[in-house]
Structure formats: C-alpha cells, structure tokens
Amino acid sequence: MILLKIKHIDAGGRLDKYLLKFLKDAPTSFIYKMLRKKNIVLNGKKAAGNEFLKENDEVKLFLADETIVKFGGKVTLSQTADREYVATAEDSIEGSSDDSLYNFLKSLKWEFDEPKVIYEDRDIIILNKPVNVLSQIAKRGDISMNEWLISYLINSKSLTAEDMLTVKPAVVNRLDRNTSGIILAGKTLTGLRFLSDIIKARTLKKYYLTIVKGEVLKNFTAEAYLLKNDNHNTVKIYQDKVEGADYIKTAYEVLEVKGGHSLLKVELITGKSHQIRAHLSFLGYPVIGDGKYGLKSENTDYRRMGLSSQFLHSYEIQFPKFEGEFAYLSGKKFNAKLPERLEKVSNKLGFNI
C-alpha cells in the first residue's frame, strides 16, 4: 500500500485529475477501475473520482510498486517506515534531456533582468516582469516567466519534486514580450483557480501607464473590434463588427500633457492581444517607441532617448470585493514600479511619474 497525503498545493483539485497526473501513463479506464474495486480509496472510503480534495486528505493506493512505477512515468519511489510515498520527478524539459525538469529549473540560467516579487502568500504570487521577457513560452526552447517562477519557488523551498508530479505553478495573465509590469501566478491549485476565475469574470481591475504621441485633451472610453492575424502576430482595429473580430473596450484617463505627448492611465476592460497599442494607434495616439503600431519616423528619436520598445507598463491591479478563502485580498491594490529605462525617457519628455 502506498499512502499519498494531500498537501495544500494540491487542495481544491478533483481526485481523478490528481490521480491522472500522479499516474500519468495510466489510461483513464484504469484509474476508474481501481476506484470501483477500492484499490484506490480516499480517507479510507470508496471514492468515485469526482471528489474535491482537501488539505490532509489521505489517498491510499493498494497497488504493487511495479504498477506505480509503470504508470508513474519517470518516477523514483522511496518510502518511509509507514510506507508514505516520497517522489523524485525525472521528467525532461524540452532541450534538456540529460537533466530532470526539477534539477533543470532549480539551476536555471536566467539571462534577462530579474523579475521582482511584489507580493506573495502560500497560494498566489504577484511579479513585476521586465522588458524582453516572455510571459509564457511561444516555441520550443523558450524560457519564460513560468520557468523563472518555478525556479524561484524551488530555490525558496516552496516547491518540491513531489509537488511537481501533480501541480505546476503557472502564470495566469499575459503581457507582450516588450511590455513590463504586473504578472499574476498561482502557486497552488486553489490559487490558480481563484486568479483564473476573477480574470475570466473581468472583476480584476488592470491599469497601465503609457506615453503617446499627440495631445489627448479629455478622459474617454472607447469601444471597437479587434481582428488578429496569427501568421504575422499583428492585429487590426475596426470601428464596426467584422467577421472573426473580437469586441474590445478600453478606458483612458489623461494624467498630463506636455510638448505634443500625453501621459495616460489606461484601464484594460477587455484583454485582447495588443489591444492597448493597436487601439491607441487606431485612435490617432500611437504609443511612443512601438515598432508595430507606432510612428516609425518618430521612433528613431525615441531610440536616441534610450527607448528600445513601446512605452507601456502594467502598473496597477485592484482585486474585487469578495468574501471566503481569499477575503484578505478583497479590494486590495498592488503596484509595479516603473522600469528605470521608462522613468528616464519620461523625465526627458518632461513627465514626472
């Protein structure tokens, strides 16, 4: 018999999903057959598989060690005196076949500016992403905020190889590679579900700072439609609905106007690819330094100021009001410091952010 004690990181997930991650090479039919025959039980009782796990629950597997190893993929079994399971993960990351995923990420060589931790508790973490870093991998061999996150948690003793067999902490929102600022990530299943739910419900307020070319004279909210071209990784904005386009809505607050430029606080009400950059360009106020949607004739001057990409920074989030497990975050605001390069450019243009 093998005993699996449910840790906080796994709480909130379904039993069958947990088992399918643990016995990752087992067919679904095998898992349900073992549950029906009571070869796998939850807290000493027969289970159907749709039960939601709680911290300190006990899952017992009355299976041979050979079966565990066969269906557990590259898993090394070791046991305590009472046969409680301890695991070491040996899954290979793409492009690193000689090292385990765990060991690869533990010794991850990070070649970019270091992300900063804004806030962290046992379920969620809020980070300040630097420019030129992917939120999530786009192709084989990429290193992104997800890899940095797991490496950070491993080295801060918040994540073990055993944890990674069933749960992998992950980023839940995306920023463009060259947009800096707030990244949200779940450390546990409970945290991942909580953040995903409020983002999907659009109850999380998200604010950006940007400097645009042109003088915006008043606050306004704009609606339009966005059509993405996946082949070229660009989008096009339409005022009226066209086939395949998504509805977008963005609110703009004027903070300061100087010398033909405007400093704006932008609320991203809907969240689509390149929404802020493309929408502002469509409205006649391109983001300075933007190589895709900006004024190429002007960007040379901004490059001389030290601006290598768009001036766009995700600087503030505000959680909605709610009760329950995450009530301690209800209504809370978090801010991400402006990168030094953007601060220098804003000062050169006369803005004091």
Side-chain angles (χ1 to χ4, degrees):
M1 184 272 290
I2 302 269
L3 171 64
L4 299 172
K5 288 187 177 179
I6 301 303
K7 297 163 69 175
H8 180 72
I9 193 170
D10 293 304
R14 280 175 49 136
L15 173 60
D16 52 0
K17 302 296 184 185
Y18 174 83
L19 291 169
L20 285 166
K21 289 178 182 177
F22 180 73
L23 300 172
K24 65 177 187 177
D25 292 332
T28 305
S29 58
F30 174 81
I31 298 294
Y32 288 116
K33 181 179 180 180
M34 293 302 99
L35 288 167
R36 286 195 305 271
K37 295 178 68 175
K38 294 203 292 188
N39 284 7
I40 301 176
V41 297
L42 175 62
N43 297 324
K45 297 179 180 179
K46 184 177 181 179
N50 60 355
E51 296 84 357
F52 286 95
L53 298 170
K54 300 185 293 294
E55 188 173 2
N56 297 319
D57 277 350
E58 293 187 349
V59 180
K60 291 181 179 178
L61 289 76
F62 296 92
L63 303 172
D65 289 353
E66 293 80 7
T67 303
I68 298 290
V69 173
K70 175 184 175 182
F71 288 136
K74 296 181 179 179
V75 171
T76 298
L77 288 177
S78 60
Q79 299 144 10
T80 61
D82 62 356
R83 301 269 294 166
E84 182 175 344
Y85 176 77
V86 180
T88 301
E90 296 180 354
D91 294 297
S92 297
I93 195 166
E94 291 179 338
S96 183
S97 57
D98 294 332
D99 296 325
S100 72
L101 174 61
Y102 180 83
N103 289 331
F104 176 87
L105 292 174
K106 184 177 181 179
S107 58
L108 180 69
K109 293 181 180 179
W110 187 255
E111 299 177 350
F112 311 98
D113 291 339
E114 196 75 11
K116 303 297 182 186
V117 176
I118 300 169
Y119 171 82
E120 182 178 5
D121 61 36
R122 69 177 187 168
D123 290 300
I124 73 167
I125 184 169
I126 303 173
L127 304 167
N128 190 351
K129 182 185 87 68
V131 168
N132 199 33
V133 176
L134 292 167
S135 300
Q136 298 173 355
I137 62 172
K139 63 182 185 302
R140 182 186 177 91
D142 282 343
I143 298 295
S144 72
M145 286 295 294
N146 266 330
E147 285 67 48
W148 183 92
L149 169 67
I150 295 175
S151 179
Y152 166 80
L153 294 175
I154 290 172
N155 286 291
S156 62
K157 312 298 184 186
S158 300
L159 186 69
T160 67
E162 181 185 356
D163 295 334
M164 288 178 63
L165 290 171
T166 52
V167 176
K168 287 187 176 63
V171 166
V172 297
N173 68 312
R174 292 192 182 195
L175 296 178
D176 295 337
R177 181 196 288 265
N178 289 321
T179 297
S180 56
I182 293 177
I183 284 285
L184 298 163
K187 296 169 58 177
T188 64
L189 282 176
T190 302
L192 285 164
R193 183 174 292 112
F194 163 70
L195 292 173
S196 296
D197 286 347
I198 61 174
I199 289 173
K200 185 177 180 180
R202 296 181 183 171
T203 55
L204 180 76
K205 299 286 188 180
K206 296 171 285 185
Y207 300 98
Y208 292 69
L209 287 178
T210 187
I211 295 178
V212 300
K213 179 68 176 176
E215 298 187 353
V216 184
L217 302 179
K218 63 180 180 179
N219 301 342
F220 66 99
T221 298
E223 300 172 275
Y225 294 89
L226 179 150
L227 184 65
K228 187 173 183 180
N229 184 328
D230 290 317
N231 293 330
H232 295 91
N233 192 29
T234 57
V235 302
K236 189 171 182 180
I237 304 298
Y238 297 88
Q239 192 57 58
D240 299 314
K241 175 70 174 176
V242 298
E243 185 178 355
D246 294 315
Y247 168 78
I248 60 170
K249 186 176 183 180
T250 323
Y252 303 96
E253 178 183 345
V254 183
L255 300 181
E256 203 172 355
V257 177
K258 282 191 175 181
H261 296 90
S262 301
L263 172 63
L264 304 179
K265 175 181 177 180
V266 183
E267 181 182 359
L268 192 62
I269 299 173
T270 57
K272 300 299 179 183
S273 297
H274 303 178
Q275 178 177 324
I276 294 174
R277 297 158 58 195
H279 203 182
L280 279 167
S281 180
F282 175 78
L283 294 168
Y285 303 109
V287 174
I288 66 170
D290 190 343
K292 282 191 175 180
Y293 307 103
L295 297 172
K296 294 182 180 179
S297 58
E298 303 273 352
N299 282 344
T300 302
D301 293 333
Y302 301 130
R303 298 287 185 268
R304 293 194 186 103
M305 293 182 187
L307 185 61
S308 58
S309 57
Q310 67 263 15
F311 193 115
L312 184 61
H313 179 67
S314 173
Y315 91 104
E316 183 178 277
I317 59 165
Q318 181 175 11
F319 284 96
K321 297 281 188 179
F322 47 76
E323 298 178 350
E325 186 174 359
F326 289 93
Y328 62 91
L329 290 172
S330 180
K332 289 281 185 69
K333 289 183 180 181
F334 294 93
N335 295 87
K337 189 178 184 300
L338 198 69
E340 185 178 350
R341 68 178 186 89
L342 294 188
E343 194 172 355
K344 286 181 179 179
V345 172
S346 68
N347 290 338
K348 289 178 181 178
L349 291 173
F351 298 106
N352 183 22
I353 301 177

